[in-house]
Amino acid sequence: MQQLTEDDFAIFKAEAEKWIALFGLKDWNVTFDFSPLENSSAECFVNWHAKAGLITLGQFPRGEVTQDDVRRSAFHEVCELLLSDMEFTALNEEIPHAERKTMTEVARHAVIRRLENSVFKSC
């Protein structure tokens, strides 16, 4: 396992912040951590009610890790955040099925609009 450094964490955080801004996820309070993880090289923990996210960079389980690997992990975790509203709604069994179905559709379209206003606009 290659040990990641504070420089790798700085790259990870900057890349995540870039995608958070590009996707317009300004309604989230996101913090970052650089600490070991049990089963992954990075993760996004979401407190949906507080609109708070914790994006953590751990260590990669395989040998050589490139800066592109670190940036891709940051992108992946921001995508987890991007989709978290939809996932929360879809899996929340306390919400009646018909209402949950409508709320999930609204959340899905919110993601699509974010992508239209960021990725599609820049291409």
Side-chain angles (χ1 to χ4, degrees), residues 29-60:
N29 178 22
V30 180
T31 56
F32 297 90
D33 189 27
F34 181 35
S35 60
L37 297 168
E38 295 247 348
N39 299 314
S40 62
S41 52
E43 70 180 17
C44 179
F45 173 79
V46 173
N47 179 332
W48 189 81
H49 294 289
K51 294 297 269 192
L54 172 63
I55 298 178
T56 303
L57 176 65
Q59 295 293 332
F60 285 67

Side-chain angles (χ1 to χ4, degrees), residues 4-14 34 57 67 70:
L4 298 180
T5 66
E6 288 294 330
D7 289 341
D8 295 315
F9 178 62
I11 291 167
F12 178 84
K13 183 177 176 185
F34 181 35
L57 176 65
Q67 288 184 354
V70 172

Side-chain angles (χ1 to χ4, degrees), residues 23 82 85 104-115:
F23 290 154
L82 177 67
D85 283 344
T104 301
E105 184 177 327
V106 168
R108 184 178 69 245
H109 279 95
V111 170
I112 292 167
R113 292 287 179 243
R114 285 184 192 268
L115 295 173

